[in-house]
Amino acid sequence: MDGLKFPIYKNFLFKVFAYIDHGSVRVKTSGPLRFLMNRFTGPLVSIFEGEVPVRVTDDALFFSTWIPPIPSLAFDRLVHSQIKNMMARTLWKLGIPASTNPEQVTISITEECPNRCIHCALPDTKNKTSLSVPAIKDIIDQSVDMGATQIIFDGGEPMVYEGLEELVSYIPEEAIATVFTSGSGLTKEKALALAKAGMYSVNVSLDSPKEAEHDRIRGREGVFREAMNAIGYSLDAGMLVDIYVVVAPHNIHDLDEFYDLAGSMGVHELSFYEIVPTGRWIDHTKDILSPEHHRLLDEFVERRSGGAVKVFSIPHVMSTTGCFAGRRWLHVTPQGNVLPCACIPIAYGNVHDEPLKGIWRRIQKTGIYRSDNCLMRDEKFRAEYIEGRD
């Protein structure tokens, strides 16, 4: 596939192309405004330069399970959104108001789940609530109209939701459909149906590369085996597959084992997020990553990048781009409440009562969500906005 060339961005004044060289992505810019635009697009270009894509065909470059294929309408919209959001961040630092649009909208379609994860971010409620198919389709329409290029189906466990395939097929070409799952309920037949419906990628979450430990954290025996089966079924169905790890003090020393497991399973990507005090973990304010833990994660990412399995560390990216909550991310709960992200339990409105765009504007007007770091790690933020709330 060496020598293949794909357009990242282009107009008559400035162009950015990605091409494959010895299996890695190289980026070239050209055009009259090249030197001026390089200052603004440098962070975007740096995401691609030297990285190994998860898949390459004659017609498309699949850089990551998190990014639409290049070229595609969804990717073009993502690039324009990224540029807008980077410019907004620059204006914020100058004290100038600027708005952004959500790039990624996560919809928790149901609270139903056979597991009892000790760190689940979804607050426990007495009644297991689900959003209706028409309500979810309306959220999808509104999200895409606002600029979203990735719709993520989450739970609970989304595989137990009747109508998931219908929702996936409803996603327009302006966006990609992905899902977070423990693997429970993702049978061979389900994987084939989701692939046929147009599911772009499947994120299978793991808490430990060790079966007994993973099952302990998930609160049920057999969850690890279900996750392994789900990975195999999804790969066989032709979908992109990511293993998603919530990094915590109890698994920070298992990073290489996670990588080896991902390689042995043949998945496309291994992604990391960090545990924060929210949901069932809300009182564990001290059981989060320390500076030493972050150093271990950064060293792992540097050492393993460019290998057979693509490594994506969200904390690593946030250290240069800032927190995405309420700026690039938006989350809808099974009750219809709209949060800045799945980890910040502050509802700014409900989709059953008002349009999503109005709620997004309300979040933007707070001026809170412009942090360089995850706000749920910030003691002052938690003390002011989280602690003491019902």
mmCIF file of all heavy atoms in Angstrom, residues 19 24 35 44 55 103 108-109 112 114 141 163 165 180 223 237-239 244 246 262 281 287 297 312 315 354 357:
data_model
loop_
_atom_site.group_PDB
_atom_site.id
_atom_site.type_symbol
_atom_site.label_atom_id
_atom_site.label_comp_id
_atom_site.label_asym_id
_atom_site.label_seq_id
_atom_site.Cartn_x
_atom_site.Cartn_y
_atom_site.Cartn_z
ATOM 1 N N TYR A 19 0.026 10.296 2.920
ATOM 2 C CA TYR A 19 0.425 9.192 2.048
ATOM 3 C C TYR A 19 1.118 8.120 2.886
ATOM 4 O O TYR A 19 1.618 8.387 3.982
ATOM 5 C CB TYR A 19 1.316 9.677 0.908
ATOM 6 C CG TYR A 19 2.661 10.219 1.320
ATOM 7 C CD1 TYR A 19 3.800 9.411 1.267
ATOM 8 C CD2 TYR A 19 2.821 11.538 1.757
ATOM 9 C CE1 TYR A 19 5.044 9.895 1.632
ATOM 10 C CE2 TYR A 19 4.058 12.030 2.113
ATOM 11 C CZ TYR A 19 5.162 11.208 2.063
ATOM 12 O OH TYR A 19 6.395 11.700 2.438
ATOM 13 N N SER A 24 3.597 3.543 7.384
ATOM 14 C CA SER A 24 3.248 4.659 8.261
ATOM 15 C C SER A 24 2.674 5.823 7.458
ATOM 16 O O SER A 24 2.870 5.918 6.245
ATOM 17 C CB SER A 24 4.482 5.146 9.038
ATOM 18 O OG SER A 24 5.002 4.123 9.854
ATOM 19 N N PHE A 35 2.400 28.249 4.753
ATOM 20 C CA PHE A 35 3.151 28.599 5.950
ATOM 21 C C PHE A 35 2.257 29.239 7.010
ATOM 22 O O PHE A 35 2.421 28.999 8.207
ATOM 23 C CB PHE A 35 4.316 29.526 5.596
ATOM 24 C CG PHE A 35 5.340 28.879 4.707
ATOM 25 C CD1 PHE A 35 5.426 29.188 3.358
ATOM 26 C CD2 PHE A 35 6.206 27.921 5.228
ATOM 27 C CE1 PHE A 35 6.353 28.568 2.537
ATOM 28 C CE2 PHE A 35 7.147 27.296 4.413
ATOM 29 C CZ PHE A 35 7.213 27.617 3.067
ATOM 30 N N LEU A 44 -3.294 19.360 14.311
ATOM 31 C CA LEU A 44 -4.077 18.371 13.568
ATOM 32 C C LEU A 44 -3.166 17.468 12.746
ATOM 33 O O LEU A 44 -3.317 16.245 12.735
ATOM 34 C CB LEU A 44 -5.070 19.089 12.655
ATOM 35 C CG LEU A 44 -5.930 18.210 11.740
ATOM 36 C CD1 LEU A 44 -6.795 17.264 12.561
ATOM 37 C CD2 LEU A 44 -6.794 19.076 10.841
ATOM 38 N N ARG A 55 -6.115 0.415 9.127
ATOM 39 C CA ARG A 55 -6.447 -0.303 7.895
ATOM 40 C C ARG A 55 -6.232 0.626 6.708
ATOM 41 O O ARG A 55 -6.490 1.818 6.795
ATOM 42 C CB ARG A 55 -7.895 -0.797 7.921
ATOM 43 C CG ARG A 55 -8.346 -1.538 6.666
ATOM 44 C CD ARG A 55 -9.838 -1.885 6.735
ATOM 45 N NE ARG A 55 -10.121 -2.920 7.719
ATOM 46 C CZ ARG A 55 -11.349 -3.261 8.105
ATOM 47 N NH1 ARG A 55 -12.404 -2.635 7.614
ATOM 48 N NH2 ARG A 55 -11.538 -4.214 9.000
ATOM 49 N N GLU A 103 -18.281 17.158 18.395
ATOM 50 C CA GLU A 103 -17.818 16.243 17.359
ATOM 51 C C GLU A 103 -18.276 14.814 17.652
ATOM 52 O O GLU A 103 -18.531 14.043 16.744
ATOM 53 C CB GLU A 103 -16.295 16.282 17.268
ATOM 54 C CG GLU A 103 -15.746 17.658 16.881
ATOM 55 C CD GLU A 103 -14.253 17.764 17.080
ATOM 56 O OE1 GLU A 103 -13.637 16.781 17.554
ATOM 57 O OE2 GLU A 103 -13.684 18.823 16.770
ATOM 58 N N SER A 108 -26.390 6.968 25.824
ATOM 59 C CA SER A 108 -26.631 5.775 26.653
ATOM 60 C C SER A 108 -28.067 5.329 26.389
ATOM 61 O O SER A 108 -29.004 5.896 26.948
ATOM 62 C CB SER A 108 -26.427 6.094 28.132
ATOM 63 O OG SER A 108 -25.065 6.204 28.451
ATOM 64 N N ILE A 109 -28.213 4.357 25.539
ATOM 65 C CA ILE A 109 -29.550 4.000 25.059
ATOM 66 C C ILE A 109 -30.351 3.208 26.092
ATOM 67 O O ILE A 109 -31.579 3.173 26.038
ATOM 68 C CB ILE A 109 -29.471 3.223 23.730
ATOM 69 C CG1 ILE A 109 -28.603 1.974 23.860
ATOM 70 C CG2 ILE A 109 -28.933 4.134 22.625
ATOM 71 C CD1 ILE A 109 -28.500 1.160 22.585
ATOM 72 N N GLU A 112 -30.135 -1.051 31.178
ATOM 73 C CA GLU A 112 -30.116 -2.506 31.353
ATOM 74 C C GLU A 112 -28.702 -3.047 31.140
ATOM 75 O O GLU A 112 -28.023 -2.679 30.169
ATOM 76 C CB GLU A 112 -31.065 -3.168 30.363
ATOM 77 C CG GLU A 112 -32.536 -2.855 30.586
ATOM 78 C CD GLU A 112 -33.098 -3.527 31.829
ATOM 79 O OE1 GLU A 112 -32.429 -4.426 32.386
ATOM 80 O OE2 GLU A 112 -34.206 -3.147 32.243
ATOM 81 N N PRO A 114 -26.222 -6.777 32.383
ATOM 82 C CA PRO A 114 -26.081 -7.957 33.236
ATOM 83 C C PRO A 114 -24.903 -7.867 34.202
ATOM 84 O O PRO A 114 -24.759 -8.711 35.086
ATOM 85 C CB PRO A 114 -25.849 -9.087 32.220
ATOM 86 C CG PRO A 114 -25.164 -8.408 31.082
ATOM 87 C CD PRO A 114 -25.770 -7.040 31.007
ATOM 88 N N ASP A 141 -30.445 12.896 14.666
ATOM 89 C CA ASP A 141 -30.692 13.975 13.701
ATOM 90 C C ASP A 141 -30.162 15.307 14.219
ATOM 91 O O ASP A 141 -29.472 16.051 13.500
ATOM 92 C CB ASP A 141 -32.187 14.101 13.416
ATOM 93 C CG ASP A 141 -32.739 12.960 12.574
ATOM 94 O OD1 ASP A 141 -31.930 12.318 11.874
ATOM 95 O OD2 ASP A 141 -33.958 12.719 12.627
ATOM 96 N N GLY A 163 -33.395 -3.210 18.734
ATOM 97 C CA GLY A 163 -33.447 -2.127 17.761
ATOM 98 C C GLY A 163 -32.115 -1.457 17.522
ATOM 99 O O GLY A 163 -32.041 -0.440 16.814
ATOM 100 N N GLU A 165 -29.572 -2.450 15.724
ATOM 101 C CA GLU A 165 -29.213 -2.488 14.299
ATOM 102 C C GLU A 165 -29.966 -1.417 13.507
ATOM 103 O O GLU A 165 -29.400 -0.783 12.600
ATOM 104 C CB GLU A 165 -29.525 -3.864 13.717
ATOM 105 C CG GLU A 165 -28.703 -5.003 14.310
ATOM 106 C CD GLU A 165 -29.353 -5.627 15.531
ATOM 107 O OE1 GLU A 165 -30.273 -5.001 16.113
ATOM 108 O OE2 GLU A 165 -28.947 -6.743 15.916
ATOM 109 N N PHE A 180 -19.900 1.034 22.519
ATOM 110 C CA PHE A 180 -19.138 0.544 23.665
ATOM 111 C C PHE A 180 -19.879 -0.646 24.256
ATOM 112 O O PHE A 180 -21.080 -0.558 24.548
ATOM 113 C CB PHE A 180 -18.996 1.630 24.733
ATOM 114 C CG PHE A 180 -17.890 2.603 24.446
ATOM 115 C CD1 PHE A 180 -18.146 3.767 23.756
ATOM 116 C CD2 PHE A 180 -16.591 2.351 24.863
ATOM 117 C CE1 PHE A 180 -17.137 4.669 23.484
ATOM 118 C CE2 PHE A 180 -15.573 3.240 24.597
ATOM 119 C CZ PHE A 180 -15.841 4.406 23.909
ATOM 120 N N VAL A 223 -17.623 -12.811 32.153
ATOM 121 C CA VAL A 223 -17.624 -11.596 31.339
ATOM 122 C C VAL A 223 -16.375 -11.522 30.458
ATOM 123 O O VAL A 223 -16.435 -11.053 29.317
ATOM 124 C CB VAL A 223 -17.731 -10.327 32.218
ATOM 125 C CG1 VAL A 223 -17.953 -9.097 31.351
ATOM 126 C CG2 VAL A 223 -18.833 -10.464 33.232
ATOM 127 N N ALA A 237 -16.729 -10.411 11.355
ATOM 128 C CA ALA A 237 -17.777 -9.708 10.606
ATOM 129 C C ALA A 237 -17.220 -8.544 9.786
ATOM 130 O O ALA A 237 -17.958 -7.923 9.016
ATOM 131 C CB ALA A 237 -18.849 -9.197 11.569
ATOM 132 N N GLY A 238 -15.923 -8.262 9.951
ATOM 133 C CA GLY A 238 -15.282 -7.228 9.146
ATOM 134 C C GLY A 238 -15.279 -5.840 9.757
ATOM 135 O O GLY A 238 -14.870 -4.870 9.098
ATOM 136 N N MET A 239 -15.713 -5.707 11.000
ATOM 137 C CA MET A 239 -15.716 -4.399 11.639
ATOM 138 C C MET A 239 -14.357 -4.075 12.261
ATOM 139 O O MET A 239 -13.590 -4.978 12.613
ATOM 140 C CB MET A 239 -16.802 -4.343 12.721
ATOM 141 C CG MET A 239 -18.214 -4.396 12.170
ATOM 142 S SD MET A 239 -19.502 -4.313 13.448
ATOM 143 C CE MET A 239 -19.361 -5.936 14.217
ATOM 144 N N TYR A 244 -10.907 -1.184 24.787
ATOM 145 C CA TYR A 244 -10.962 0.070 25.536
ATOM 146 C C TYR A 244 -10.697 -0.218 27.006
ATOM 147 O O TYR A 244 -11.400 -1.019 27.627
ATOM 148 C CB TYR A 244 -12.341 0.701 25.350
ATOM 149 C CG TYR A 244 -12.519 2.045 26.005
ATOM 150 C CD1 TYR A 244 -12.096 3.216 25.376
ATOM 151 C CD2 TYR A 244 -13.143 2.162 27.242
ATOM 152 C CE1 TYR A 244 -12.281 4.455 25.970
ATOM 153 C CE2 TYR A 244 -13.337 3.398 27.839
ATOM 154 C CZ TYR A 244 -12.908 4.537 27.196
ATOM 155 O OH TYR A 244 -13.090 5.766 27.778
ATOM 156 N N VAL A 246 -10.081 1.346 30.870
ATOM 157 C CA VAL A 246 -10.104 2.439 31.843
ATOM 158 C C VAL A 246 -8.924 2.205 32.784
ATOM 159 O O VAL A 246 -8.948 1.289 33.616
ATOM 160 C CB VAL A 246 -11.430 2.476 32.625
ATOM 161 C CG1 VAL A 246 -11.380 3.578 33.689
ATOM 162 C CG2 VAL A 246 -12.599 2.721 31.679
ATOM 163 N N ALA A 262 -4.127 -7.713 23.041
ATOM 164 C CA ALA A 262 -4.694 -7.077 21.853
ATOM 165 C C ALA A 262 -4.032 -7.611 20.588
ATOM 166 O O ALA A 262 -4.697 -7.886 19.582
ATOM 167 C CB ALA A 262 -4.529 -5.563 21.944
ATOM 168 N N TRP A 281 -17.814 5.140 41.350
ATOM 169 C CA TRP A 281 -16.446 5.442 41.805
ATOM 170 C C TRP A 281 -16.380 6.856 42.412
ATOM 171 O O TRP A 281 -15.313 7.361 42.684
ATOM 172 C CB TRP A 281 -15.473 5.319 40.643
ATOM 173 C CG TRP A 281 -14.054 4.996 41.001
ATOM 174 C CD1 TRP A 281 -12.972 5.832 40.945
ATOM 175 C CD2 TRP A 281 -13.531 3.736 41.449
ATOM 176 N NE1 TRP A 281 -11.816 5.195 41.332
ATOM 177 C CE2 TRP A 281 -12.147 3.888 41.646
ATOM 178 C CE3 TRP A 281 -14.108 2.499 41.706
ATOM 179 C CZ2 TRP A 281 -11.321 2.850 42.080
ATOM 180 C CZ3 TRP A 281 -13.298 1.459 42.137
ATOM 181 C CH2 TRP A 281 -11.925 1.642 42.318
ATOM 182 N N ASP A 287 -8.361 7.206 44.600
ATOM 183 C CA ASP A 287 -8.027 6.038 43.780
ATOM 184 C C ASP A 287 -8.042 6.389 42.293
ATOM 185 O O ASP A 287 -8.746 5.775 41.483
ATOM 186 C CB ASP A 287 -9.013 4.902 44.064
ATOM 187 C CG ASP A 287 -8.961 4.440 45.505
ATOM 188 O OD1 ASP A 287 -7.847 4.380 46.059
ATOM 189 O OD2 ASP A 287 -10.030 4.151 46.085
ATOM 190 N N LEU A 297 2.140 5.582 31.919
ATOM 191 C CA LEU A 297 1.284 5.498 30.737
ATOM 192 C C LEU A 297 1.932 6.186 29.548
ATOM 193 O O LEU A 297 1.936 5.637 28.431
ATOM 194 C CB LEU A 297 -0.081 6.136 31.036
ATOM 195 C CG LEU A 297 -1.094 6.152 29.886
ATOM 196 C CD1 LEU A 297 -1.397 4.737 29.399
ATOM 197 C CD2 LEU A 297 -2.384 6.846 30.326
ATOM 198 N N PHE A 312 -3.899 4.318 21.424
ATOM 199 C CA PHE A 312 -4.497 5.649 21.533
ATOM 200 C C PHE A 312 -4.770 5.942 23.003
ATOM 201 O O PHE A 312 -5.562 5.259 23.642
ATOM 202 C CB PHE A 312 -5.802 5.718 20.727
ATOM 203 C CG PHE A 312 -6.523 7.034 20.844
ATOM 204 C CD1 PHE A 312 -5.903 8.219 20.501
ATOM 205 C CD2 PHE A 312 -7.831 7.078 21.303
ATOM 206 C CE1 PHE A 312 -6.569 9.434 20.603
ATOM 207 C CE2 PHE A 312 -8.511 8.285 21.408
ATOM 208 C CZ PHE A 312 -7.873 9.475 21.056
ATOM 209 N N PRO A 315 -5.842 10.431 27.746
ATOM 210 C CA PRO A 315 -5.151 11.376 28.629
ATOM 211 C C PRO A 315 -3.943 12.027 27.959
ATOM 212 O O PRO A 315 -3.670 13.210 28.175
ATOM 213 C CB PRO A 315 -4.726 10.499 29.817
ATOM 214 C CG PRO A 315 -5.694 9.371 29.816
ATOM 215 C CD PRO A 315 -5.980 9.102 28.375
ATOM 216 N N GLU A 354 -36.561 20.056 25.402
ATOM 217 C CA GLU A 354 -36.066 21.149 24.564
ATOM 218 C C GLU A 354 -35.048 20.623 23.555
ATOM 219 O O GLU A 354 -34.489 19.538 23.714
ATOM 220 C CB GLU A 354 -35.447 22.245 25.418
ATOM 221 C CG GLU A 354 -34.258 21.772 26.258
ATOM 222 C CD GLU A 354 -33.696 22.871 27.135
ATOM 223 O OE1 GLU A 354 -33.434 23.978 26.612
ATOM 224 O OE2 GLU A 354 -33.510 22.632 28.343
ATOM 225 N N LYS A 357 -29.629 21.640 20.653
ATOM 226 C CA LYS A 357 -28.791 22.805 20.353
ATOM 227 C C LYS A 357 -28.864 23.843 21.470
ATOM 228 O O LYS A 357 -27.856 24.440 21.845
ATOM 229 C CB LYS A 357 -29.205 23.435 19.026
ATOM 230 C CG LYS A 357 -28.341 24.619 18.609
ATOM 231 C CD LYS A 357 -28.767 25.191 17.273
ATOM 232 C CE LYS A 357 -28.450 24.245 16.138
ATOM 233 N NZ LYS A 357 -28.743 24.857 14.809
#
